[in-house]
């Protein structure tokens, strides 16, 4: 039988506000354990939460970018359960009235656009982090993470393959980073993804029993885990078995999913409205203020890059992959660089230098205007393209202006005909054999002679002039 | 030697500010009084003698240097065990918080300290403010100064007994369903529960977050107005505190209530109310009429559901609020456990008293899946109906007058066997919390048994000014001499 997978994603992203969701503590990652804490996020007796307004702003921005409707009136709720990573033994979350709901996200898979429904995006507080000694015996709780703001984004069961799930995550991350609402760093835990997976005979409308896969540390891990889980479920069904509704963990080392918790032991969270907080009222004016400040999103920007700068779809996609990269490129163009040349330099030599240095564009010491100046120098013939690469490397290292480098190192292109004629004469007299061969009709030798002239000029001779003058000299 | 401890807070404040007495002298007088009668009343859980004298000396220093010593300069105050203080312990009269030291001060504590108040210590209460007699304290039994065989009421029983026995000038209590007003009634002092949101709850260990309010228990209405003025106001640390100006409520005490409409809810004056208490309250309302108020009958048809609604909402909220007492970060942890689950179960089982356990279980039940709609959700709907009753009643009147408690103080053990009987002690006070209104209890004479009776007045939300004006006018014109409780 042919099967079809049905997949829904639940993604928790840490929203990058400066302070926590309900207190003034810093959200900084990697601080020494239990240093970013106060009575509020430690759940001490008598404390009260106060909702961080910036969290609402950023969550609404994310909701709008995901084409969600924004609740005019929503509230926070208490989700009750006991666990040592929970300061209060209840988590303040949103239950029946999420801040954002009924949205969608378009993803591109194999050149086709698929529209994935977003059921809801709601605000909640993160829990503390438990660590356990190997072999058990001792557990530590780090409350630095307690109260870090989270947005939980839940899709409809609209995804049909592991590849789509991967594309969804990549697109979501790109948008959230564009909005500057989250770092979306899976290693640091600022993005956590869970997949709900079921399979059914192709064409069926009813859902099969689903499993929930957790503990995945990377997007490619998610893709592998889903692929594995789909195959596993199909095998269970093919063998006449029944898929159990359960939570399964991804074991990256063995490349399999394993049972964590059967759904029978599901919690009754006893949700009820959080009485310590007032309702969240986002009126039209507030929503509009945020909508007006939304940046251009990746898909729209890619389209514009193709139209405005004449870039190919591929180049536009690469240059809009992240907002800082796209900003860098546009700054370079608006500083006077020709758009296609700028694209080549940014995607080629500059990207190679960044990759070698394991750096992000935001760490690059070359100002976009300086790169533009360098590109213009090539166009104007002040330096050759080859010298340009050398100058770029120096700029990357030192952050200096290209003019200064060219001047100091004496790299300016030689366009003085008399000077080039002198070098050409020297090269001809130094290589009589090759000159003979050329005159005998071996055109290829020309390349060698040009190379000798360039070498003698230490790469500075204007290549066009070299060609013409050499050719003229050889005719004699 | 002058018995400074018999003076009211505003008298002390005026004398201290004028330099006619030092705060240290006043504090010593109160500490002596505590030493003399504490063994009989047992109101205090902690007496901070040295700390109190230090605070008093600081106030005197400000007076000597000509600095403003504050609106509560030198006024000795007792704090309910449920209020967080960096000094001393904050136990909520529960074994589970035995030895707990709060890392911060409650907002009200900070405000009073800034106003020059002197904290004498902390006073007893029902564990986590759950109870109406202070018999649920895990620390000690507090007795009613008017009759040591009787309860002081609760849950702010220590606060009321301490004021009644002149063991402090003012005390702070907390009121979730009557916990300030009912003990104030039983101990013959003034107790006001402000409008929900008027006073910051930051640093009040939560029992039921949507109902809890902090308020003062005092010797007279002027002191209630004074203390409320100091502790009220918007607090950035409490999202539910109202963003309203903090007025000087003492300015409202004009003595003039001509034209004020006083509503008597017919549901509060039925056979259920004993004849003696009824006579006292009706007489008190007559005093208001003689002062120019117009008395009208009003109706609160849903008040019969108030107790049921209250015990669903307050227990639901309490079940979550008290979940944090799990032995992980602070407070009592059972020493003999093999895993986390057992640590929770054994710590809670060993350290919560029976009434607290009962309410946690009740609250957990009403929030459970399958029961939520029938209990919690329905209770919220009826809560709204109760509030609407009051909205309608306040179209016909400005003040509502009822008894505070159906009976005067009762003997120890009289109601402990039957929780429902105990819950009925708050039958007249609970609706005020459900409707988020301000309410005040005022002494209105002594019963034949020698125990105090009280009238309760309520007003529209955030209309404490009218409430206090009416209360003050009654107090000035009642002609009642309560005298002092018959303890040495
Ligand atoms: Zn904090």
């Amino acid at each position: 039988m042919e099967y079809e997978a049905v997949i829904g994603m639940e993604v928790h992203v840490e929203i990058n506000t400066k302070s926590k969701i309900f207190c003034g503590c810093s959200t900084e990652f990697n601080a020494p354990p239990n240093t970013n804490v106060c009575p509020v996020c430690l759940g001490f007796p008598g404390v009260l939460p106060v909702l961080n307004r910036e969290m609402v702003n950023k969550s609404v921005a994310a909701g709008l970018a995901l084409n969600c409707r924004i609740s005019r009136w929503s509230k926070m709720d208490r989700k009750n359960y006991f666990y040592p990573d929970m300061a209060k033994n209840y988590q303040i979350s949103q239950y029946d009235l999420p801040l954002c709901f009924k949205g969608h996200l378009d993803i591109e898979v194999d050149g086709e656009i698929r529209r994935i429904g977003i059921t809801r995006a709601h605000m909640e507080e993160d829990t503390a982090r438990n660590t356990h000694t190997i072999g058990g015996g001792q557990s530590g709780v780090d409350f630095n993470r307690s109260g870090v703001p989270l947005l939980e984004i839940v899709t409809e069961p609209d995804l049909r393959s592991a590849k789509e799930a991967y594309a969804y995550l990549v697109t979501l991350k790109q948008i959230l980073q564009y909005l500057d609402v989250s770092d979306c760093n899976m290693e640091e835990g600022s993005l956590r993804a869970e997949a709900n997976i079921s399979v059914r005979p192709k064409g069926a409308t009813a859902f099969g029993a689903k499993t929930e896969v957790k503990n995945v540390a990377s997007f490619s891990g998610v893709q592998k885990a889903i692929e594995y889980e789909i195959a596993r479920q199909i095998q269970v069904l093919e063998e006449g078995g029944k898929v159990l509704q359960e939570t399964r963990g991804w074991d990256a080392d063995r490349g399999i999913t394993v049972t964590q918790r059967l759904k029978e032991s599901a919690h009754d969270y006893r949700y009820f409205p959080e009485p310590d907080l007032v309702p969240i009222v986002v009126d039209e004016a507030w929503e509009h203020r945020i909508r007006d400040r939304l940046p251009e999103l990746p898909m729209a920007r890619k389209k514009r890059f193709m139209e405005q700068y004449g870039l190919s779809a591929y180049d536009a996609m690469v240059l809009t992959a992240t907002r800082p990269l796209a900003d860098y490129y546009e700054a370079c163009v608006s500083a006077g660089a020709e758009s296609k040349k700028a694209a080549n330099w940014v995607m080629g030599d500059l990207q190679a230098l960044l990759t070698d240095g394991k750096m992000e564009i935001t760490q690059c010491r070359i100002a976009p205007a300086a790169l533009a100046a360098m590109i213009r120098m090539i166009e104007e013939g002040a330096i050759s393209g080859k010298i340009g690469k050398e100058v770029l490397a120096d700029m990357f290292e030192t952050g200096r202006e290209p003019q200064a480098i060219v001047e100091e190192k004496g790299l300016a292109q030689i366009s003085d005909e008399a000077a080039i004629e002198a070098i050409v004469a020297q090269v001809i007299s130094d290589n009589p054999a090759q000159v003979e061969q050329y005159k005998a009709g071996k055109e290829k030798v020309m390349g060698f002679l040009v190379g000798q002239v360039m070498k003698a000029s230490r790469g500075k001779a204007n290549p066009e002039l070299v060609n013409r003058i050499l050719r003229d000299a050889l005719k004699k | 030697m002058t018995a400074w401890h018999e003076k009211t807070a505003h008298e002390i404040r005026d004398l201290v500010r004028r330099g006619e007495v030092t705060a240290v002298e006043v504090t010593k007088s109160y500490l002596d009084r505590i030493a003399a009668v504490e063994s009989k009343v047992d109101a205090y859980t902690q007496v901070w003698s040295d700390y109190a004298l230090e605070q008093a000396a600081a106030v005197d220093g400000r007076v000597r240097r000509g600095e403003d010593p504050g609106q509560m300069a030198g006024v000795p105050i007792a704090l309910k065990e449920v209020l967080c203080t960096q000094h001393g312990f904050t136990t909520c009269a529960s074994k589970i918080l035995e030895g707990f030291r709060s890392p911060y001060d409650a907002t009200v504590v900070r405000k009073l300290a800034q106003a020059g108040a002197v904290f004498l210590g902390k006073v007893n209460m029902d564990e986590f403010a759950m109870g109406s007699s202070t018999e649920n304290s895990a620390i000690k039994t507090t007795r009613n100064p008017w009759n040591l065989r009787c309860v002081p009421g609760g849950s702010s029983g220590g606060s009321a007994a301490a004021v009644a026995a002149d063991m402090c000038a003012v005390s702070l209590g907390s009121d979730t369903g009557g916990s300030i007003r009912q003990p104030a009634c039983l101990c013959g002092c003034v107790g006001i529960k402000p409008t929900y949101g008027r006073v910051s709850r930051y640093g009040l260990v939560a029992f039921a977050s949507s109902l809890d309010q902090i308020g003062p228990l005092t010797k007279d209405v002027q002191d209630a107005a004074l203390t409320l003025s100091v502790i009220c106001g918007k607090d950035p640390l409490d999202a539910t505190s109202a963003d309203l100006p903090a007025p000087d409520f003492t300015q409202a005490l004009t003595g003039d209530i001509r034209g004020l409409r006083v509503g008597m809810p017919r549901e509060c004056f039925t056979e259920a109310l004993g004849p003696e208490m009824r006579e006292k309250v009706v007489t008190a309302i007559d005093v208001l009429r003689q002062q120019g108020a117009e008395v009208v009958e009003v109706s609160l048809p849903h008040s019969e559901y108030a107790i049921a609604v209250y015990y669903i909402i307050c227990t639901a909220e309490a079940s979550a609020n008290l979940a944090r007492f799990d032995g992980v970060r602070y407070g009592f942890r059972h020493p003999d456990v093999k895993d986390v689950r057992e640590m929770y179960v054994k710590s809670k089982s060993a350290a919560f008293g029976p009434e607290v356990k009962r309410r946690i279980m009740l609250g957990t039940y009403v929030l459970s899946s399958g029961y939520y709609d029938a209990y919690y959700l329905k209770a919220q709907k009826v809560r709204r109906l109760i509030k609407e009753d009051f909205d309608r009643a306040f179209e016909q009147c400005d003040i509502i007058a009822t008894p505070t408690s159906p009976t005067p103080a009762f003997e120890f053990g009289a109601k402990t066997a039957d929780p429902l009987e105990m819950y009925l002690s708050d039958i007249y006070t609970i609706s005020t919390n459900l409707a988020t209104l301000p309410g005040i209890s005022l002494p209105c004479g002594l019963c034949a048994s020698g125990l105090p009776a009280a009238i309760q007045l309520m007003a529209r939300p955030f209309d404490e000014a009218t409430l206090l004006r009416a209360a003050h006018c009654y107090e000035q014109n009642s002609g009642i001499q309560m005298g002092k409780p018959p303890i040495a």
Side-chain angles (χ1 to χ4, degrees):
Chain A
M1 196 187 305
E2 213 182 326
Y3 289 91
E4 171 184 63
V6 177
I7 304 158
M9 299 293 299
E10 282 173 31
V11 174
H12 286 85
V13 284
E14 285 183 357
I15 299 300
N16 60 2
T17 53
K18 285 200 178 61
S19 55
K20 292 184 178 180
I21 185 168
F22 298 127
C23 63
C25 291
S26 165
T27 53
E28 181 205 353
F29 184 76
N30 262 341
N34 295 309
T35 51
N36 290 337
V37 293
C38 73
V40 175
C41 54
L42 286 170
F44 264 60
V47 299
L48 297 169
V50 178
L51 182 58
N52 183 340
R53 199 180 158 89
E54 197 52 22
M55 171 59 180
V56 182
N57 285 332
K58 294 206 169 206
S59 300
V60 168
L64 291 174
L66 297 172
N67 306 292
C68 285
R69 289 164 63 185
I70 305 301
S71 295
R72 285 278 165 270
W73 194 99
S74 65
K75 63 184 168 69
M76 304 301 296
D77 298 282
R78 290 187 185 177
K79 178 182 183 179
N80 296 284
Y81 65 96
F82 281 88
Y83 205 67
D85 67 0
M86 289 257 293
K88 306 177 292 298
N89 286 315
Y90 61 80
Q91 182 189 28
I92 304 179
S93 180
Q94 291 195 288
Y95 180 49
D96 53 343
L97 293 172
L99 184 66
C100 317
F101 62 102
K102 276 197 184 145
H104 62 83
L105 178 62
D106 289 338
I107 60 170
E108 198 178 322
V109 182
D110 297 333
E112 257 180 69
I113 303 287
R114 288 262 292 124
R115 177 157 290 188
I116 308 304
I118 303 290
T119 315
R120 58 188 282 162
H122 73 252
M123 304 183 288
E124 62 185 30
E125 57 179 335
D126 208 344
T127 59
R129 245 164 72 121
N130 288 355
T131 44
H132 311 282
T133 52
I134 294 165
Q138 280 206 312
S139 296
V141 189
D142 179 6
F143 283 90
N144 283 354
R145 202 180 69 178
S146 170
V148 166
L150 288 181
L151 189 69
E152 180 176 342
I153 302 163
V154 182
T155 72
E156 291 291 303
D158 286 349
L159 298 156
R160 290 289 172 270
S161 69
K163 209 171 173 184
E164 287 187 6
Y166 180 84
Y168 168 75
L169 290 174
V170 170
T171 312
L172 179 68
K173 174 178 171 170
Q174 192 188 26
I175 286 180
L176 296 176
Q177 287 182 332
Y178 256 73
L179 296 171
D180 187 27
V181 300
S182 176
D183 307 330
C184 294
N185 186 331
M186 254 188 142
E187 277 109 69
E188 291 184 0
S190 65
L191 187 152
R192 282 162 252 163
E194 293 160 28
N196 289 299
I197 305 155
S198 64
V199 296
R200 63 184 176 193
K202 207 168 170 89
T205 47
F207 294 123
K210 68 176 180 188
T211 59
E212 192 178 338
V213 176
K214 294 188 169 185
N215 287 351
V216 201
S218 67
F219 286 1
S220 57
V222 172
Q223 188 171 354
K224 283 184 205 141
I226 293 174
E227 270 161 15
Y228 174 86
E229 191 54 23
I230 293 171
R232 187 191 70 83
Q233 290 186 15
I234 291 175
Q235 195 185 345
V236 168
L237 295 177
E238 289 279 280
E239 288 168 0
K242 239 177 81 181
V243 173
L244 295 177
Q245 186 152 326
E246 61 184 349
T247 302
R248 297 178 72 87
W250 172 242
D251 183 335
D253 293 334
R254 292 193 287 163
I256 61 170
T257 64
V258 287
T259 298
Q260 277 190 332
R261 177 158 57 87
L262 284 177
K263 212 71 188 175
E264 276 84 328
S265 57
H267 262 99
D268 176 1
Y269 289 118
R270 306 193 309 279
Y271 281 100
F272 73 100
E274 169 55 89
D276 286 333
L277 289 167
V278 290
I280 304 150
V281 181
V282 180
D283 58 17
E284 241 169 271
W286 188 356
E287 183 183 323
H288 278 285
R289 271 201 307 280
I290 295 171
R291 196 185 285 280
D292 290 345
R293 286 200 312 248
L294 281 185
E296 189 182 18
L297 293 174
M299 275 215 186
R301 201 168 194 183
K302 178 187 159 195
K303 203 163 160 253
R304 181 169 62 79
F305 273 26
M306 290 166 71
E307 286 161 5
Q308 187 175 342
Y309 302 126
L311 301 180
S312 69
Y314 177 81
D315 287 0
M317 183 192 78
V318 171
L319 288 172
T320 55
T322 69
R323 190 171 158 192
L325 183 65
D327 287 348
Y328 188 96
Y329 170 74
E330 290 214 87
C332 186
V333 172
S334 63
E338 194 275 321
S339 64
K340 284 184 191 161
K341 292 218 165 66
N344 289 338
W345 279 98
V346 171
M347 290 164 61
D349 289 89
L350 182 59
Q351 189 54 55
L353 288 166
L354 289 169
T355 308
D356 282 351
K358 295 192 171 62
M359 285 160 73
E360 300 289 329
I361 189 74
T362 47
Q363 298 163 293
C364 181
R365 298 182 70 182
I366 304 176
L371 178 59
M374 202 276 293
I375 294 169
R376 272 203 322 272
M377 286 171 80
I378 297 171
E379 279 184 80
E380 289 161 1
I383 55 172
S384 66
K386 190 150 179 274
I387 291 292
K389 289 176 195 285
E390 191 185 332
V391 172
L392 187 78
D394 191 318
M395 291 164 76
F396 189 80
E397 198 66 36
T398 63
R400 292 193 298 165
E401 293 294 320
Q403 294 87 342
I405 295 167
V406 167
E407 216 163 283
E408 187 205 281
K409 293 191 169 174
L411 295 173
Q413 184 156 274
I414 301 169
S415 299
D416 175 356
E417 298 202 10
I420 294 173
E421 275 163 11
I423 298 171
V424 165
Q426 185 65 44
V427 166
I428 287 174
S429 73
D430 286 354
N431 300 283
Q434 282 79 4
V435 171
E436 273 314 304
Q437 288 173 358
Y438 178 81
K439 286 185 172 167
K442 243 187 158 186
E443 291 272 333
K444 270 167 123 184
V445 178
M446 184 69 182
F448 168 80
L449 292 169
V450 169
Q452 290 304 304
V453 175
M454 292 310 288
K455 196 175 162 192
S457 75
R458 286 190 293 145
K460 294 184 290 182
N462 183 328
E464 277 172 46
L465 287 179
V466 170
N467 266 297
R468 179 166 60 75
I469 292 171
L470 187 60
R471 231 174 264 282
D472 289 351
L474 288 170
K475 276 180 197 158
K476 287 170 192 166
Chain B
M1 186 181 153
T2 316
W4 299 111
H5 58 265
E6 291 185 4
K7 301 251 181 263
T8 62
H10 59 91
E11 286 168 344
I12 292 169
R13 188 265 320 265
D14 292 343
L15 292 165
V16 167
R17 286 177 70 95
R18 288 200 301 263
E20 289 174 29
V21 64
T22 64
V24 167
E25 273 177 90
V26 173
T27 303
K28 278 184 177 157
S29 172
Y30 272 95
L31 290 171
D32 288 347
R33 174 67 178 173
I34 293 169
V37 299
E38 171 64 10
S39 63
K40 295 186 171 117
V41 181
D42 269 324
Y44 277 84
T45 49
Q46 311 167 52
V47 178
W48 300 335
S49 307
D50 294 345
Y51 179 54
L53 290 168
E54 247 173 67
Q55 299 167 73
V59 171
D60 289 336
R62 286 204 286 279
V63 174
R64 264 199 317 277
R65 291 190 297 272
E67 298 163 13
D68 182 357
Q71 279 310 298
M72 300 284 280
V75 174
I77 288 185
L79 299 169
K80 192 176 177 179
E81 270 286 346
V82 76
L83 293 166
C84 288
T85 50
Q86 283 180 280
H87 191 84
F89 302 101
T90 302
T91 70
C92 298
S94 178
K95 191 170 179 316
I96 210 154
L97 280 175
E98 198 172 30
F100 173 70
R101 289 178 180 276
S102 172
Y104 70 99
D105 283 330
T107 296
V108 290
V109 170
R110 197 170 42 76
K111 287 189 166 192
L112 283 171
Q114 276 166 2
V118 172
F119 300 119
L120 296 173
K122 282 188 168 170
V123 283
N124 203 19
M125 57 185 277
D126 284 298
E127 182 180 5
F128 283 105
M130 296 178 184
S132 307
S133 67
T134 311
E135 290 168 288
N136 295 332
S137 167
I139 299 176
K140 54 170 29 176
T141 301
T142 299
R143 285 173 287 277
N144 191 315
W146 293 88
N147 181 336
L148 298 175
R149 279 175 301 140
C150 288
V151 302
S155 65
S156 309
S159 306
V163 170
D166 285 332
M167 295 160 80
C168 61
V170 171
S171 66
L172 287 191
S174 66
D175 190 316
T176 308
S179 280
I180 289 173
R181 292 158 290 159
Q182 185 260 13
C185 166
L186 270 51
C187 291
C189 50
V190 174
I192 181 167
K193 180 204 89 77
T195 311
Y196 183 81
R198 179 62 97 175
V199 176
S200 166
R201 294 184 293 118
Y202 190 77
L204 168 69
V205 181
F207 157 21
S209 313
S210 76
L211 300 160
D212 294 343
Q213 266 292 288
I214 298 166
L217 293 94
T218 57
K219 297 179 186 182
D220 67 9
V221 173
Q222 193 173 340
D223 282 0
L226 170 66
T227 313
L228 183 59
S229 303
V230 170
I231 64 173
C232 75
K234 174 71 184 171
D235 181 1
L237 298 175
D238 178 359
T240 65
S241 67
D243 198 0
L244 291 170
D248 177 1
F249 290 110
T250 60
Q251 299 294 313
L253 313 181
T254 58
D256 182 3
I257 59 163
R258 280 171 301 175
L260 190 79
R261 296 168 304 164
V262 176
M264 283 176 72
R266 70 172 77 96
E267 294 81 2
C268 297
F269 293 89
T270 61
E271 301 303 307
L273 182 62
E276 193 179 21
M277 198 55 104
R278 179 193 177 89
E279 187 263 326
K280 294 263 182 273
V281 174
V282 169
T283 306
I285 293 171
D286 265 340
V287 172
L288 295 172
R289 195 196 320 259
Q290 283 151 24
Q291 292 303 311
E294 179 198 341
V295 178
V296 296
E297 192 187 72
V298 294
S299 176
L300 302 169
H302 294 94
S303 53
E304 62 174 304
Y305 304 113
I307 286 195
V309 166
Y310 175 80
Y311 278 97
I312 290 170
I313 292 173
C314 81
T315 58
E317 293 178 7
S319 72
N321 283 332
L322 272 61
R324 72 190 66 199
F325 304 107
D326 58 8
V328 174
R329 285 142 297 142
Y330 48 77
F332 175 83
R333 178 190 293 176
H334 199 284
D336 175 29
V337 296
K338 60 176 193 299
D339 57 27
V340 168
R341 194 187 145 78
E342 200 177 82
M343 179 174 87
Y344 291 152
V345 173
K346 280 191 168 175
S347 300
K348 285 171 179 277
S349 300
F352 280 137
E355 181 62 24
V356 173
K357 286 179 189 167
R358 178 161 33 243
R359 296 198 192 188
I360 290 173
M361 286 189 282
L362 202 55
T364 305
Y365 179 79
V366 300
L367 289 174
S368 299
S369 128
Y371 298 97
Y372 180 89
D373 288 2
Y375 292 106
Y376 184 80
L377 203 61
K378 179 158 275 179
Q380 290 291 12
K381 286 177 184 161
V382 180
R383 181 178 183 175
R384 172 161 291 274
L385 294 176
I386 289 170
K387 177 146 180 54
E388 286 167 3
D389 280 356
F390 278 99
D391 292 345
R392 267 191 299 276
F394 280 119
E395 287 168 10
Q396 296 166 262
C397 63
D398 308 299
I399 290 287
I400 290 175
T402 73
T404 304
S405 161
T407 65
F410 43 90
E411 293 195 2
F412 288 102
K415 298 183 179 183
T416 43
D418 183 355
L420 282 180
E421 178 80 5
M422 187 72 89
Y423 294 172
L424 288 173
S425 304
D426 296 326
I427 189 162
Y428 299 117
T429 48
I430 272 175
S431 302
T432 327
N433 300 74
L434 291 170
T436 72
L437 310 173
I440 191 168
S441 180
L442 302 164
C444 65
L446 293 176
C447 298
S449 58
L451 290 165
I455 179 174
Q456 173 181 231
L457 303 180
M458 305 167 216
R460 297 181 186 92
F462 300 104
D463 195 8
E464 282 89 351
T466 302
L467 183 70
L468 287 160
R469 182 158 58 90
H472 179 250
C473 182
Y474 169 74
E475 182 188 69
Q476 297 302 305
N477 297 286
S478 69
I480 287 167
Q481 293 297 321
M482 291 293 286
K484 290 289 179 185
I487 44 165

